[in-house]
Amino acid sequence: MPNLISRPGPIAFLRQAIHHATDGGPLFYAWMTLLTCVALVGVNAWANQVVHGMQVTGMGDHVSWGLYISNFTFFVGVAAAAVMMVIPAYLYHDHEMHDSVIVGELLAIAAIVVCLLSVTVDLGRPDRFWHMMPPLGRFNWPISMLTWDVIVLNGYLALNLWICAYLLWNRWRGTAPSPRLYLPFVFLSIVWAVSIHTVTAFLYCGLGGRPFWNTALLAPRFLASAFVAGPALIIVILLALQRLGGYPFGDRPIALLLRIVRITALINLFMLGVECFTALYAGSTHASSLRYLLFGAHGHHGLVPWIWSAIALNVVAAALFLWPGLLRRPGLLAAACLMTFVGIWIEKGMGLVIPGFIPSTLHEMVEYSPTATEWKITLGVVAGGALIYTLLLKTALPLISGWTPGLSVGHAAMDAQHRRLFEQLNALVAAVRSRRGAAEVGRTLDFLDAYVREHFADEERLMSESGYAGLDDHRRMHAGFVTELAAVHAALSAPDADRQAIAERLHHAMRDWLLHHIRVDDRAYASHLATRG
């Protein structure tokens, strides 16, 4: 039987995406207002920098890379860390990670935008940016490591844009994505994620005149720190989304990322210790910069508080990550993740980029301290990235967690009921995961149970009136779902109920059943109704 149900087109998709991205409650608008204000302050400061030149920054002939490039280096790692969710979801076919992996991929897009903006503001004169655009400027590829960095960053951005757009478009249309149109790009993005931070590390250690960066361990350190800071930030985001409720993310993705961070945090500290031992004990050529960083030199101690703060934050966070009960304490887990996120930011910026210039190649001690203008621009760039990420999440999450026009069966009343079913199922999952009281969870479950029975009765009435041949099969499917819901009700009533396991059962088994049932079985009877007028 031909499918007579029309698919929504790209214009409708964009219209609905804009609606989702801009619609929200008071908390959403307060957050967006804050980010917009910070971003505008940054734009104003950048305009002032363009007018008056780089003299308004703390950079100069001796220290030519400062806060902007530090921020760039750090967020390259954040972008690369999305691979920590892609690998289990696609390489190891972890079905439960498929919904949450979009959070990491969208974060990679926003992080790359922050990287590109950080480089742009560091140029001083934005009209020089065309030099980095082949074939307009002098690209100097493949000789220049900087051109390699431009290629891998923009390539990684394009990969993530395609993967996210294609998957969300298919989710919107209610169709299964074609593996050949996205899986090769997913696997390519895994390799590409490693390459973007490796090339960034080569950008530093390839500079022979800066011995502080001339170490073969720099690229592994970059990757290790990236796989600490990035997953830590994603954990905080997932915890925040859990707190907001209504989104289909349980503890499994968080537990997996925590296991990753638990190991990478220790590896990062170990590599830092190895670097310190090699330089200080053996007296290598970059020992003078490292001594200045850790202890100060010749009366200059500008970076000492920065690096020891970073070490303290990373050590405390690593110790907390090793505590077996941390997953049961979301507030403490978020605090540990934020501590290591800030610690890695300091370590990669003020602890790695800046000391590479001190002392200078002429052994002069010229310290660097970011000016207010630099801080405003940097915060504006980060706020701009956060704005983009928030809008991307607001667009994507409703497509992941609920009904979309692509699931329409061509019957307005049934579509409205399907939409309500998803809302109630998500509400129940959120109530169970947030450990709300048994009475509230019971009320939500009772409402869902009553609504399911009402919806199934309405569907079966329509089929009976239209003489649908598959009515008996449909009744059996409905009865199976009602039985499963009753089993969940009984499991929740048990005194030793494992709420998280029940939430995962609700989210994955029952929601996936509902999606399949609408896409296949309900559309079959909807097409039958359409042929009868």
Side-chain angles (χ1 to χ4, degrees):
M1 182 180 294
N3 187 3
L4 303 179
I5 301 166
S6 62
R7 303 287 189 193
I11 301 300
F13 173 72
L14 290 175
R15 188 184 299 117
Q16 191 68 26
I18 293 171
H19 169 73
H20 284 315
T22 56
D23 182 50
L27 183 62
F28 167 72
Y29 289 119
W31 170 247
M32 295 299 284
T33 301
L34 174 64
L35 292 179
T36 302
C37 291
V38 175
L40 289 175
V41 169
V43 170
N44 177 264
W46 180 55
N48 180 64
Q49 177 182 288
V50 171
V51 171
H52 296 96
M54 299 299 281
Q55 63 181 352
V56 299
T57 72
M59 293 178 283
D61 293 338
H62 292 85
V63 181
S64 53
W65 288 349
L67 191 60
Y68 304 147
I69 297 302
S70 299
N71 211 46
F72 159 78
T73 305
F74 174 76
F75 276 96
V76 170
V78 173
V83 75
M84 290 292 99
M85 301 186 76
V86 173
I87 289 175
Y90 292 102
L91 204 59
Y92 293 103
H93 308 290
D94 190 331
H95 178 71
E96 295 184 24
M97 290 290 292
H98 275 222
D99 283 337
S100 54
V101 74
I102 196 74
V103 174
E105 291 174 329
L106 293 177
L107 178 62
I109 293 172
I112 290 294
V113 172
V114 171
C115 294
L116 297 176
L117 290 176
S118 297
V119 172
T120 301
V121 298
D122 188 68
L123 289 175
R125 283 178 50 186
D127 58 295
R128 291 174 174 165
F129 194 75
W130 69 274
H131 282 292
M132 302 302 299
M133 298 179 183
L136 298 178
R138 298 179 179 178
F139 203 53
N140 292 325
W141 184 84
I143 300 172
S144 170
M145 286 305 304
L146 188 59
T147 59
W148 279 100
D149 214 26
V150 171
I151 291 171
V152 295
L153 285 175
N154 283 282
Y156 191 61
L157 176 62
L159 282 171
N160 281 281
L161 282 171
W162 168 251
I163 294 167
C164 293
Y166 180 70
L167 292 178
L168 292 177
W169 166 250
N170 279 276
R171 183 66 68 96
W172 158 263
R173 298 181 74 239
T175 57
S178 172
R180 65 185 179 85
L181 291 180
Y182 80 96
L183 276 182
F185 299 99
V186 167
F187 295 131
L188 179 60
S189 72
I190 295 174
V191 180
W192 213 291
V194 176
S195 76
I196 62 172
H197 221 20
T198 302
V199 171
T200 304
F202 288 169
L203 196 65
Y204 287 94
C205 59
L207 298 175
R210 304 293 176 182
F212 182 69
W213 299 327
N214 297 154
T215 167
L217 202 56
L218 193 63
R221 275 188 67 193
F222 269 30
L223 290 172
S225 60
F227 297 153
V228 180
L233 179 58
I234 295 173
I235 288 174
V236 173
I237 293 168
L238 291 176
L239 288 172
L241 292 175
Q242 270 192 356
R243 183 83 174 179
L244 292 172
Y247 298 116
F249 305 121
D251 285 343
R252 181 176 174 80
I254 296 174
L256 177 62
L257 291 172
L258 178 57
R259 289 199 296 271
I260 293 170
V261 172
R262 186 175 287 146
I263 302 301
T264 54
L266 295 176
I267 293 174
N268 182 61
L269 287 172
F270 173 74
M271 287 185 176
L272 178 62
V274 169
E275 285 275 36
C276 292
F277 173 82
T278 304
L280 299 178
Y281 187 83
S284 65
T285 54
H286 70 292
S288 57
S289 294
L290 186 60
R291 287 195 185 95
Y292 162 72
L293 173 65
L294 294 173
F295 312 112
H298 308 292
H300 300 280
H301 306 85
L303 297 183
V304 174
W306 287 97
I307 190 61
W308 285 107
S309 297
I311 292 172
L313 288 170
N314 285 328
V315 168
V316 173
L320 287 172
F321 291 142
L322 293 175
W323 180 41
L326 186 61
L327 193 61
R328 295 190 297 272
R329 300 284 298 276
L332 189 58
L333 173 59
C337 290
L338 290 174
M339 287 169 62
T340 198
F341 185 81
V342 174
I344 296 296
W345 182 85
I346 296 173
E347 180 189 322
K348 268 189 171 175
M350 305 301 286
L352 189 141
V353 176
I354 311 305
F357 294 95
I358 307 171
S360 70
T361 52
L362 298 177
H363 305 286
E364 296 174 296
M365 299 295 295
V366 180
E367 291 195 292
Y368 164 80
S369 180
T371 63
T373 298
E374 288 177 88
W375 282 114
K376 291 176 184 177
I377 293 174
T378 299
L379 290 174
V381 166
V382 174
L387 266 172
I388 292 171
Y389 186 54
T390 303
L391 294 175
L392 290 173
L393 280 180
K394 282 284 291 177
T395 301
L397 292 180
L399 300 181
I400 295 173
S401 60
W403 184 89
T404 68
L407 295 175
S408 173
V409 296
H411 192 286
M414 291 300 100
D415 286 344
Q417 289 188 6
H418 287 157
R419 186 186 297 110
R420 186 67 168 157
L421 276 175
F422 277 107
E423 291 172 356
Q424 289 304 312
L425 186 57
N426 287 333
L428 179 59
V429 172
V432 174
R433 282 176 175 160
S434 59
R435 298 176 175 85
R436 295 175 194 168
E440 183 177 351
V441 173
R443 285 193 299 270
T444 307
L445 186 54
D446 288 341
F447 183 87
L448 176 62
D449 182 65
Y451 198 84
V452 163
R453 293 176 186 273
E454 178 187 347
H455 168 67
F456 286 168
D458 289 343
E459 275 192 348
E460 290 167 12
R461 177 180 54 79
L462 280 173
M463 294 178 198
S464 177
E465 292 174 352
S466 64
Y468 181 56
L471 174 59
D472 290 339
D473 290 338
H474 227 83
R475 278 176 174 159
R476 281 193 291 272
M477 295 175 199
H478 288 169
F481 188 87
V482 171
T483 301
E484 177 68 13
L485 197 58
V488 169
H489 203 162
L492 278 171
S493 303
D496 57 344
D498 185 347
R499 286 192 160 204
Q500 291 306 315
I502 295 171
E504 298 305 320
R505 179 179 177 182
L506 277 167
H507 171 218
H508 294 289
M510 300 184 73
R511 195 195 65 145
D512 287 354
W513 182 94
L514 192 58
L515 281 170
H516 181 270
H517 183 65
I518 294 173
R519 286 172 177 166
V520 179
D521 305 310
D522 285 355
R523 277 188 178 155
Y525 88 75
S527 296
H528 167 76
L529 292 176
T531 58
R532 293 178 61 88

